[in-house]
Amino acid sequence: MSARPGSKGQVAIVGYAHSDVTRHAGRPLGALAVDTARAAIADAGLTAGQVDGFVTSALFPTAGAHAAEDGVSLVSADWLAQRLGGSPRYVAGFQGIGQIPGSVALAVNAVASGAADYVVMHRALHNPKGSYHANPMRTAGGAQQWTVPQGFFGPLSMIALPYNEYLQRYGASRETTAAVVAEARKNGARIPWSYWHDRPLTTEEYLAAPLLSDPICRYDCDIPVDGVAAFVFTSAERARDLPHRPVYVAGQASSAPPRRRLPLHWPLDDIMAGGTALAKRLWEQSGVSPADVDLPQVYDGFSPFVYFWLEVLGLCPVGEAHRFVLDGGIDSDRPGALPALSGGGALGNGRMHGIPQMLECYLQLAGRAGERQRERATVGVACASSPHFGGAVVYSTAPR
Amino acid sequence: MTAGPAAASGSSGPAAAPEPTRPVPAPDERSAPYWAAAARHVLTVARCARCSTYVVPPDHTCPHCGSTDPGFAFEPVSGRGTVRSWTVVRQSFLPGFRGEVPFLLVDVELAEQPELRVIGRLLDGPDTTLRIGAPVAVAFEDVADGVSVPAFALAEPSATGPGEVRS
Ligand SMILES: [Zn+2]
């Protein structure tokens, strides 16, 4: 493989913190973010004065008519940096495709370029009062005029269409997907800060839930929450002097813009084509192959994404993910299986976007997963969003 | 709102909020011909004046030839297509559709061009048995005075036979 210029393996995560994940925190999201960032900085063995970079993706992913207020419904990097003191040199927000991988790339590039020495990357997500996505619009203009008058609106129908395509094309069923959701909830139930802590879900409960937009039921969707996570990044060289075992960023790839379509129209072929191209770049860029990955963490904000990610990453053949899952292929308790949802994912934690995947890679690779610590965890992949409209980051215990 | 005789509803309490109505399209300068044709129950699709490609949805450039002056014109199409996917909406985030659930949405590939896909309601009802590749034809819902929204209805296989329907 030809050497690429860049930061591969030169930048590491050296500390983290995570708030409790609740339906409504009972305090402003910004206050939660400040506390979480301070805890992450302390965890890394640093002081706020040493942190000179702040990055995030502040997106508030609602289709509803909620106002987006900094410090309340979202927390920008500027907002957080201003309140943590110190003398930041680099403050940036990610706007583009793949929120978490995109902001990880901002942090990595800031360190690699010398723009900052110690970067806090955070993600703050808010659950507003009332319905998350309800929108009382009476007229639909712009791009929405092509879909809203027909009643096509919001993420449930968005994901229901490619999910049904998958079920029809490959003969899969909701019974299989029950196994996906039960696996996520089993693992999420073991995580103290999770909204679903101690609350696993049975296949029977899953199958008894009414459908919302066929074949999607409520348990196929991550639950909206208030929650904040923060990570500290620095160079491999500086990481040596810090208390925790560094976890290196070995590579990153984000989706290219997908084919132009109607708003929220995500055909299965688009998802798979975009994801396959992303995975090819991810392996080339990181120098690892699917067989090297002992800790894939697939994104599951909607359960069908698990099938799509397993297939585009080459962890099972295309069209086979549903059988793979049913055969125990992602059972985190089964020796030899791929623990693809061991961190509980979004379904097992709450709507924290790609944070559960990233955090599981960090905790396991840093040897900090406590009772959940896996024997073998050397290369992890943290996926985010849809394979055609997201991204993935490769983490490693070794600088590469 | 001012309180007054006009607000009186015959009951002692405040008048019940009116049932929200379905969102209607707000045509703009570019889309006006599309909605005018729909009102006459004619389905049109924007077509690039430079390369003749049909484009959904049209915006400022052509995704096929890259023209920044694509001169999109809405041209009538056959209205025939095949079902690529579907969902039954049982809970809508649009209050104006809450009286309509459950309803069926279909992802339709129009006959005119591969991957030319639009989404609309299937008017045969939410319990319709569907399959990938099922043939459909455009139909229209008259939702307000002078406003019709394109939808679909199951159709007989085209004259060329089901073998011609993409699988
Ligand atoms: Zn063109």
Side-chain angles (χ1 to χ4, degrees):
Chain A
M1 181 140 312
S2 64
R4 271 176 188 261
S7 60
K8 194 162 67 183
Q10 296 171 22
V11 179
I13 301 177
V14 292
Y16 88 103
H18 201 300
S19 77
D20 278 341
V21 176
T22 58
R23 284 290 271 164
H24 298 284
R27 52 197 302 245
L29 189 65
L32 206 57
V34 170
D35 283 347
T36 306
R38 284 181 178 148
I41 293 165
D43 181 65
L46 299 168
T47 62
Q50 288 172 280
V51 172
D52 53 1
F54 290 86
V55 302
T56 193
S57 156
L59 179 76
F60 178 29
T62 172
H66 309 288
E69 189 185 340
D70 209 351
V72 177
S73 47
L74 57 90
V75 179
S76 69
D78 321 20
W79 195 98
L80 185 63
Q82 200 173 44
R83 279 150 188 86
L84 277 190
S87 41
R89 296 192 287 138
Y90 181 80
V91 180
F94 178 79
Q95 276 189 307
I97 299 173
Q99 305 295 315
I100 299 297
S103 43
V104 166
L106 286 180
V108 168
N109 293 343
V111 171
S113 68
D117 292 341
Y118 300 98
V119 178
V120 166
M121 174 245 167
H122 81 278
R123 184 72 174 108
L125 280 142
H126 177 55
N127 179 28
K129 292 272 191 290
S131 166
Y132 197 87
H133 290 300
N135 193 316
M137 72 173 92
R138 308 291 285 268
T139 60
Q144 288 190 325
Q145 70 183 292
W146 310 113
T147 47
V148 164
Q150 288 83 347
F152 181 59
F153 178 79
L156 299 187
S157 296
M158 174 194 81
I159 193 65
L161 288 177
Y163 179 28
N164 191 34
E165 265 190 291
Y166 185 93
L167 298 187
Q168 301 292 327
R169 189 179 294 182
Y170 299 120
S173 71
R174 291 188 66 245
E175 282 69 19
T176 322
T177 311
V180 170
V181 178
E183 171 68 16
R185 290 284 296 273
K186 174 192 83 181
N187 292 313
R190 298 171 180 171
I191 294 177
W193 55 86
S194 164
Y195 174 71
W196 297 113
H197 182 227
D198 273 345
R199 285 186 286 178
L201 184 79
T202 65
T203 295
E204 292 69 32
E205 287 171 296
Y206 174 86
L207 292 173
L211 295 179
L212 302 175
S213 190
D214 299 13
I216 290 284
C217 74
R218 61 187 289 214
Y219 296 125
D220 292 306
C221 315
D222 56 356
I223 193 166
V225 293
D226 280 349
V228 180
F231 296 87
V232 181
F233 289 74
T234 193
S235 66
E237 197 180 340
R238 288 184 208 97
R240 280 189 220 118
D241 303 326
L242 298 176
H244 298 296
R245 184 199 299 169
V247 172
Y248 301 92
V249 178
Q252 190 263 357
S254 295
S255 311
R259 178 198 277 258
R260 206 187 300 170
R261 297 279 191 188
L262 291 171
L264 304 180
H265 190 198
W266 288 11
L268 180 60
D269 288 340
D270 288 14
I271 293 174
M272 297 304 288
T276 303
L278 173 145
K280 184 171 184 288
R281 283 186 278 107
L282 185 71
W283 306 134
E284 283 174 4
Q285 213 262 340
S286 61
V288 307
S289 72
D292 300 326
V293 180
D294 42 34
L295 197 74
Q297 292 292 298
V298 298
Y299 182 76
D300 63 337
F302 293 110
S303 56
F305 285 142
V306 171
Y307 298 148
F308 307 156
W309 275 111
L310 287 171
E311 294 180 10
V312 300
L313 290 174
L315 301 174
C316 69
V318 172
E320 293 288 326
H322 61 112
R323 292 195 187 90
F324 185 70
V325 168
L326 208 55
D327 292 344
I330 65 168
D331 182 348
S332 64
D333 296 324
R334 187 172 154 256
L338 282 173
L341 289 167
S342 61
L347 293 172
N349 282 278
R351 185 169 300 159
M352 289 299 297
H353 270 188
I355 288 294
Q357 289 77 8
M358 176 181 181
L359 180 60
E360 178 69 350
C361 287
Y362 173 69
L363 291 177
Q364 295 289 351
L365 270 56
R368 301 183 66 189
E371 290 177 354
R372 300 188 309 104
Q373 183 63 46
R374 305 187 66 82
E375 211 169 291
R376 179 173 165 73
T378 56
V379 176
V381 175
C383 306
S385 192
S386 173
H388 81 311
F389 201 63
V393 180
V394 178
Y395 294 100
S396 171
T397 50
R400 300 181 75 88
Chain B
M1 291 293 288
T2 54
S9 63
S11 71
S12 54
E19 191 67 19
T21 52
R22 272 177 67 164
V24 292
D28 49 54
E29 203 177 319
R30 216 152 13 110
S31 68
Y34 174 89
W35 290 110
R40 300 191 309 272
H41 288 200
V42 174
L43 180 66
T44 60
V45 177
R47 201 167 194 187
C48 175
R50 315 292 160 228
C51 73
S52 298
T53 302
Y54 290 104
V55 176
V56 171
D59 68 21
H60 306 291
T61 64
C62 173
H64 184 70
C65 71
S67 172
T68 54
D69 181 22
F72 287 123
F74 286 95
E75 294 189 5
V77 292
S78 66
R80 300 190 74 87
T82 53
V83 171
R84 296 294 303 268
S85 188
W86 67 88
T87 181
V88 180
V89 178
R90 300 180 190 275
Q91 176 193 296
S92 179
F93 292 119
L94 297 165
F97 272 94
R98 282 177 190 162
E100 308 266 332
V101 295
F103 62 90
L104 227 167
L105 287 174
V106 280
D107 170 355
V108 172
E109 180 169 353
L110 295 174
E112 274 69 17
Q113 183 177 292
E115 284 301 315
L116 185 67
R117 286 163 81 162
V118 295
I119 293 167
R121 284 176 70 169
L122 189 82
L123 301 183
D124 302 68
D127 299 325
T128 308
T129 302
L130 274 173
R131 63 176 174 84
I132 302 287
V136 291
V138 72
F140 288 86
E141 287 185 284
D142 300 323
V143 297
D145 223 17
V147 182
S148 298
V149 176
F152 292 92
L154 283 177
E156 292 302 311
S158 60
T160 47
E164 292 301 303
V165 177
R166 85 182 300 294
S167 57

